[in-house]
């Protein structure tokens, strides 16, 4: 690619394997690099840019908010925080909300709730059931709940108190509860994102709800990546007709402004009290305005229905384009959260897609991940497939490593 020279990144800590491109601006589902090349955004900042780029109503709202208040402190009431909490409670049917800055912080708060829930019931060493393939963050606690040994390596000792079982195996969950009397919560992503777009089956989620009610456990559903309309419902677990006790959110809730939230149902709503938890930046007026406006625009513009319909178009186009390809294991996911699992590592597709004019992700080594903005059109869905399918076919035609 013929990118223009960029300032040196020698003083940026090398924690990312970055692609050889820098983006300068965007419009809708498209972005431009610093060389002026237009790229179709099939990633949305990893499920963050719900409304795409430069959405006129969001931009106007954020510009207005910047002229008023960006940050105050949680020493004081923040009306926008109350407004966003009211909306999240309305949409989820739950009880109250704690606001923070990211998905990691939301998951960390959820784990603190699980532990205090246990201590309040006299459990000396509370434990949380987690799942193979999980990813909940990179702090020491959320890293311990995560199942990826590559990102855990070098950061031991990990935090104890986690019992790991196989996803979609209710018998394994029940056996873990029987073997670990200190279990106080079950914690999982409704659809695993970093783990390879692996959905928890509807019947499994329903069974977990019954098990948690039977044993007085917290059902904690991490919707950081799959929530906020991405699957065609406000929250992915709503396809199963259940409610969690604790639901971490982040990513798409602020359409690019850092935000996190933990939404709690009645069983968990009273666990944290004044002084038990807190944050400096969490729930600040700018982030809250972003959340309020994001949900308002999603509602007014019918973006849940759009995610479901355009996601179906994209999935069909991919399935038709890749039909008969033996190296395609499965196309899975829901709405605008799709994964294409191949029979070999496919990290090279990141660069090849970029060169073809498409932003994607590869996760779990062999899964092409698509998380485009929820404003994606049917025509743009077909364009994603038209760009991506030939790249996958070409990769599969190469000798298998």
């Amino acid at each position: 690619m013929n990118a223009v020279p960029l300032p040196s990144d020698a003083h940026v800590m090398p924690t990312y394997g970055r692609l050889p491109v820098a983006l300068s601006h965007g419009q809708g589902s498209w972005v431009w690099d610093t060389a002026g090349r237009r790229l179709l955004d099939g990633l949305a900042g990893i499920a963050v840019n719900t409304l795409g780029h430069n959405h006129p109503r969001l931009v106007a709202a954020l510009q207005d908010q910047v002229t008023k208040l960006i940050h105050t402190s949680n020493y004081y009431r923040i009306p926008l925080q109350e407004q966003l909490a009211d909306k999240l409670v309305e949409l989820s049917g739950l009880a109250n909300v704690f606001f923070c800055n990211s998905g990691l912080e939301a998951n960390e708060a959820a784990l603190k709730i699980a532990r205090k829930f246990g201590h309040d019931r006299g459990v000396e060493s509370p434990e949380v059931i987690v799942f193979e393939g999980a990813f909940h963050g990179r702090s020491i606690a959320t890293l311990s709940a995560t199942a990826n040994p590559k990102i855990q390596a070098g950061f031991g000792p990990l935090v104890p108190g986690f019992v790991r079982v196989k996803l979609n195996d209710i018998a394994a969950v029940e056996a873990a509860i029987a073997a670990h009397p200190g279990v106080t919560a079950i914690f999982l992503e409704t659809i695993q994102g970093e783990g390879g777009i692996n959905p928890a089956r509807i019947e499994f989620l329903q069974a977990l709800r019954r098990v948690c009610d039977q044993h007085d456990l917290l059902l904690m559903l991490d919707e950081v990546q799959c929530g906020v309309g991405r699957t065609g419902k406000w929250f992915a677990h709503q396809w199963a007709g259940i409610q969690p006790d604790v639901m971490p959110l982040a990513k798409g809730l602020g359409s690019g402004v850092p935000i996190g939230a933990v939404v709690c149902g009645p069983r968990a709503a009273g666990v944290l009290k004044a002084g038990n938890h807190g944050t400096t930046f969490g729930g600040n007026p700018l982030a809250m305005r972003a959340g309020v406006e994001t949900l308002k625009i999603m509602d007014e513009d019918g973006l849940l229905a759009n995610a479901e319909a355009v996601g179906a178009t994209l999935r069909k186009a991919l399935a038709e384009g890749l039909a008969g390809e033996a190296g395609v294991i499965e196309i899975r996911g829901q709405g605008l959260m799709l994964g294409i699992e191949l029979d070999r590592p496919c990290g090279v597709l990141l660069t090849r897609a970029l060169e073809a004019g498409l932003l994607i992700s590869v996760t779990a080594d062999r899964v092409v991940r698509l998380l485009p903005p929820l404003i994606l059109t049917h025509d743009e869905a077909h364009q994603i497939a038209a760009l991506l399918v030939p790249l996958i076919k070409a990769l599969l035609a190469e000798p298998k490593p």
Side-chain angles (χ1 to χ4, degrees):
M1 298 184 69
N2 297 317
V4 298
L6 298 173
S8 170
D9 64 354
H11 299 295
V12 177
M13 193 174 291
T15 53
Y16 303 102
R18 300 185 195 271
L19 294 170
V21 66
L23 306 178
S24 66
H25 63 284
Q27 184 63 53
S29 296
W30 298 83
V31 293
W32 282 258
D33 68 15
T34 51
R37 187 162 186 248
R38 191 173 77 145
L39 307 159
L40 182 52
D41 190 355
L43 188 57
I46 316 180
V48 168
N49 298 313
T50 299
L51 305 178
H53 305 276
N54 197 32
H55 193 288
R57 279 178 283 166
L58 179 66
V59 169
L62 295 180
Q63 287 174 333
D64 174 70
Q65 188 60 46
V66 167
T67 68
K68 295 176 178 176
L69 284 172
I70 295 176
H71 176 78
T72 55
S73 152
N74 284 297
Y75 281 156
Y76 319 109
R77 284 183 57 192
I78 301 174
L80 283 166
Q81 195 175 112
E82 297 164 12
Q83 186 179 344
L84 183 55
D86 287 348
K87 186 64 176 179
L88 289 172
V89 166
E90 174 193 333
L91 297 175
S92 66
L94 300 180
N96 63 14
V97 187
F98 171 81
F99 290 109
C100 50
N101 305 289
S102 67
L104 180 155
E105 290 185 24
N107 284 335
E108 189 88 20
L111 293 173
K112 288 182 70 174
I113 289 170
R115 286 198 170 187
K116 191 167 187 300
F117 179 82
H119 283 295
D120 289 348
R121 283 158 175 72
V123 179
E124 184 176 348
S125 299
E127 294 183 289
V128 176
I129 292 176
V130 293
F131 292 84
E132 295 176 6
F135 181 89
H136 297 294
R138 294 176 184 270
S139 69
I140 294 298
T142 57
L143 189 70
S144 302
T146 289
N148 189 335
K150 290 182 181 179
I151 66 170
Q152 291 175 336
F155 298 105
L158 299 177
V159 175
F162 296 102
V163 180
R164 196 171 309 283
V165 301
K166 186 178 179 181
L167 185 67
N168 289 318
D169 187 343
I170 194 63
V173 172
E174 292 174 330
I177 293 170
H180 296 267
V183 166
T184 60
I186 299 174
F187 187 34
L188 71 155
E189 299 151 276
T190 315
I191 302 176
Q192 290 181 343
E194 299 295 328
I197 313 298
N198 302 311
R201 291 196 295 265
I202 285 177
E203 61 270 21
F204 180 67
L205 290 169
Q206 293 168 340
L208 289 181
R209 181 67 276 173
R210 291 193 297 269
V211 165
C212 286
D213 290 340
Q214 177 184 349
H215 294 281
D216 192 27
L217 309 178
L218 296 180
L219 178 57
M220 308 200 305
L221 296 180
D222 176 349
E223 297 244 358
V224 166
Q225 189 168 134
C226 62
V228 196
R230 181 144 294 276
T231 66
K233 289 190 181 292
W234 284 108
F235 312 110
H237 68 265
Q238 291 175 330
W239 291 103
I242 65 166
Q243 290 181 327
D245 299 300
V246 180
M247 178 175 62
L249 299 172
K251 288 190 180 290
L253 183 57
S255 294
V257 175
I259 187 172
V262 185
V263 190
C264 291
R267 185 174 286 167
V271 172
L272 295 181
K273 298 177 174 60
N276 289 151
H277 195 50
T279 168
T280 296
F281 292 102
N284 70 60
L286 182 63
M288 296 299 96
R289 184 71 181 271
V292 167
E293 296 297 334
T294 295
L295 298 183
K296 181 180 179 181
I297 293 167
M298 289 177 66
D299 204 8
E300 292 176 351
D301 290 1
L303 293 190
L304 272 68
N306 190 69
E308 183 177 9
V310 176
T313 293
L314 178 55
R315 186 168 186 160
K316 181 181 179 184
L318 292 167
E320 290 176 350
L322 295 170
E325 292 290 331
V328 177
I329 304 300
E330 186 181 15
I331 300 173
R332 56 179 177 260
Q334 195 158 12
L336 288 173
M337 183 175 187
L338 297 176
I340 308 162
E341 183 177 358
L342 306 181
D343 67 352
R344 65 196 68 189
C346 58
V348 67
L349 289 177
L350 285 173
T351 301
R352 294 181 185 181
L354 180 64
E355 292 170 347
L358 176 65
L359 304 184
I360 63 168
S361 170
V362 168
T363 191
D365 196 38
R366 303 190 310 172
V367 180
V368 178
R369 176 172 54 168
L370 295 170
L371 301 162
L374 302 193
I375 61 167
L376 194 78
T377 66
H378 290 278
D379 180 63
E380 289 166 341
H382 282 293
Q383 290 183 65
I384 289 176
L387 290 167
L388 184 57
V389 165
L391 299 176
I392 293 175
K393 286 184 173 181
L395 177 66
L396 296 177
E398 298 171 4
K400 189 175 180 181

